[in-house]
């Protein structure tokens, strides 16, 4: 059992994610953050990454002798990436609710505040014209493909890299391609929000939250490109024996993995959390026109769910 490069890198990012988790817990404890807000899903992401880094640390110490740890690390990492992509969209949708004149979002139109939680979940996968509902189906399918392909790969490494086409390779590549497609779509959504904001407020500079989301996009895109390469290019693949020596994973692999994957995710997560500062002075969510009944005398003000 040696404390090699993999274990060291896993420990560093485990500590970094602990810092983010503590900040979130303090936010909930002090009432600055609400459980039914966009921060709930980013808390889930951080929790998954904590579990992933802890598993990566254990794998770094034990080595390839315990393939189960590697598969667990791979699955938890895929779930972490899945929730992070959703986080980015949830934060943009929340910005729509607070800052657009309509106080609504074309990505996911708002529901009345008294809508039961079960109905909200059902609506997230409903047949209405909600882009996020369709996106949920595609991302879940992509997530299943990546996990299935990675799990099959653990026992068929030689076949995976000896054949130009194999089932695990196809599953991983298609799954990652779906994720990177929605990463590209995220850039369009942010640019569209900037254009709409400036049209509604002539002369105003770009909202700082949108600036942060613009910075988040290339980080997610790099992470997505690395995800595709890790399934096609052996030097980027955890399951390729050529990436190991007698002490465990080679330093070159650890550096590429943690810079192009883990660091991209951590930086994206930290920047999304930073939007708490840039959104503190956002206007409250007014009642959208689609909710208003015949009685239009009173406009209901809803709290800012930071």
């Amino acid at each position: 059992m040696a404390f090699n490069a993999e274990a060291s890198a896993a420990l560093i990012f485990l500590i970094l994610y602990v810092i983010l988790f503590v900040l979130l817990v303090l936010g909930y404890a002090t009432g600055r953050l609400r459980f039914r807000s966009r921060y709930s899903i980013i808390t889930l992401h951080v929790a998954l990454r904590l579990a992933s880094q802890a598993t990566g640390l254990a794998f770094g110490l034990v080595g390839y002798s315990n393939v189960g740890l590697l598969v667990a690390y791979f699955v938890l990492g895929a779930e972490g990436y899945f929730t992070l992509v959703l986080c980015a969209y949830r934060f943009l949708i929340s910005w729509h609710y607070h800052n657009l004149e309509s106080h609504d979002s074309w990505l996911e139109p708002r529901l009345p505040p008294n809508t039961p939680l079960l109905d909200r979940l059902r609506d997230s996968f409903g047949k209405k014209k909600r882009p996020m509902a369709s996106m949920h189906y595609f991302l879940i399918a992509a997530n299943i493909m990546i996990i299935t392909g990675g799990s099959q790969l653990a026992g068929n490494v030689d076949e995976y890299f000896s054949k130009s086409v194999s089932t695990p390779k196809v599953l991983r590549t298609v799954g990652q391609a779906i994720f990177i497609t929605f990463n590209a779509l995220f850039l369009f959504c942010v640019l569209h929000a900037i254009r709409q904001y400036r049209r509604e407020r002539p002369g105003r500079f770009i909202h700082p939250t949108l600036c942060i989301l613009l910075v988040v996009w290339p980080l997610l895109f790099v992470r997505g490109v690395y995800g595709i390469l890790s399934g096609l290019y052996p030097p980027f693949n955890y399951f390729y024996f050529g990436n190991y020596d007698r002490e465990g994973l080679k330093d070159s692999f650890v550096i590429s993995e943690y810079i192009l994957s883990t660091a991209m995710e951590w930086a994206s997560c930290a920047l999304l959390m930073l939007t708490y500062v840039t959104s503190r002075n956002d206007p409250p969510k007014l009642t959208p026109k689609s909710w208003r009944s015949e009685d239009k005398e009173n406009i209901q003000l809803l709290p800012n769910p930071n």
Side-chain angles (χ1 to χ4, degrees), residues 88-89 92-93 95-96 100 105-107 131 135 179-197 199 210 213-218 220-221:
Y89 277 96
L92 178 60
I93 290 171
W95 183 89
H96 285 161
L100 295 182
S105 174
W106 62 274
L107 281 169
M135 192 179 302
F179 271 105
I180 203 170
T181 299
F182 283 107
N183 283 339
L185 179 61
F186 180 69
L187 175 62
F188 166 79
C189 294
V190 175
L191 293 176
H192 183 272
I194 292 173
R195 181 183 178 185
Q196 193 170 0
Y197 181 75
R199 185 174 65 246
L210 295 180
L213 294 179
L214 272 180
V215 176
V216 167
W217 175 77
L220 291 176
F221 192 77

Side-chain angles (χ1 to χ4, degrees), residues 28-295:
Y28 289 122
T30 57
R32 291 185 173 89
L33 301 180
R34 296 174 57 209
F35 284 102
R36 292 185 63 178
S37 71
R38 63 186 183 272
Y39 291 97
S40 299
I41 190 168
I42 206 167
T43 302
L44 174 61
H45 166 73
V46 172
L48 287 170
R49 288 304 310 180
L50 283 173
S52 176
Q53 291 309 123
T55 308
L57 175 60
F59 176 72
L61 294 174
V62 174
Y64 202 85
S65 59
N66 192 329
V67 181
L69 284 174
L70 179 56
V71 173
Y73 174 77
F74 180 83
V75 171
L76 289 169
E79 295 300 319
Y81 181 44
F82 167 67
T83 53
L84 184 60
V85 173
L86 285 181
C87 279
Y89 277 96
R90 297 309 318 173
F91 275 60
L92 178 60
I93 290 171
S94 178
W95 183 89
H96 285 161
Y97 290 166
H98 286 278
N99 293 279
L100 295 182
E101 288 183 354
S102 64
H103 291 277
D104 212 342
S105 174
W106 62 274
L107 281 169
E108 186 174 81
R110 286 166 60 194
L111 295 173
N114 58 346
T115 304
L117 179 60
L118 184 60
D119 290 343
R120 290 179 179 274
L121 292 175
R122 188 183 300 113
D123 191 78
S124 296
F125 296 92
K127 297 181 180 180
K128 296 181 180 179
K129 295 180 179 179
R130 293 172 174 266
M132 282 301 295
S134 300
M135 192 179 302
H136 289 155
Y137 283 114
F138 278 106
L139 290 178
I140 289 174
N143 193 43
I144 294 173
M145 290 179 187
I146 293 171
I147 292 174
T148 303
S151 300
Q152 292 180 1
L153 172 59
N156 299 279
V157 177
D158 293 335
E159 178 184 353
Y160 185 94
F161 291 110
S162 62
K163 293 184 177 181
S164 58
V165 177
S166 64
T167 300
K169 184 181 292 186
V170 170
L171 288 173
R172 287 193 65 184
T173 304
V174 172
Q176 293 289 356
I178 293 174
F179 271 105
I180 203 170
T181 299
F182 283 107
N183 283 339
L185 179 61
F186 180 69
L187 175 62
F188 166 79
C189 294
V190 175
L191 293 176
H192 183 272
I194 292 173
R195 181 183 178 185
Q196 193 170 0
Y197 181 75
R198 299 188 71 175
R199 185 174 65 246
E200 293 178 356
R201 296 168 175 80
R204 294 284 296 275
F205 190 67
I206 302 175
H207 193 285
T209 296
L210 295 180
C211 292
I212 290 178
L213 294 179
L214 272 180
V215 176
V216 167
W217 175 77
L219 301 177
L220 291 176
F221 192 77
V222 169
R223 170 63 181 88
V225 171
Y226 180 77
I228 291 179
L229 291 177
S230 66
L232 300 175
Y233 185 52
F236 285 169
N237 197 299
Y238 260 104
F239 296 96
Y240 180 57
F241 292 118
N243 290 326
Y244 293 82
D245 56 25
R246 286 195 294 181
E247 295 183 358
L249 283 164
K250 294 180 179 179
D251 292 354
S252 58
F253 175 84
V254 174
I255 291 172
S256 63
E257 166 72 16
Y258 276 88
I259 290 179
L260 298 176
S261 177
T262 311
M264 296 297 107
E265 290 192 29
W266 186 89
S268 298
C269 180
L271 285 170
L272 289 174
M273 290 175 59
L274 184 62
T275 61
Y276 172 82
V277 178
T278 61
S279 63
R280 293 186 68 179
N281 296 323
D282 284 355
K285 291 191 294 187
L286 292 172
T287 304
K289 294 180 180 179
S290 58
W291 288 3
R292 297 176 188 175
S293 58
E294 296 180 357
D295 183 10

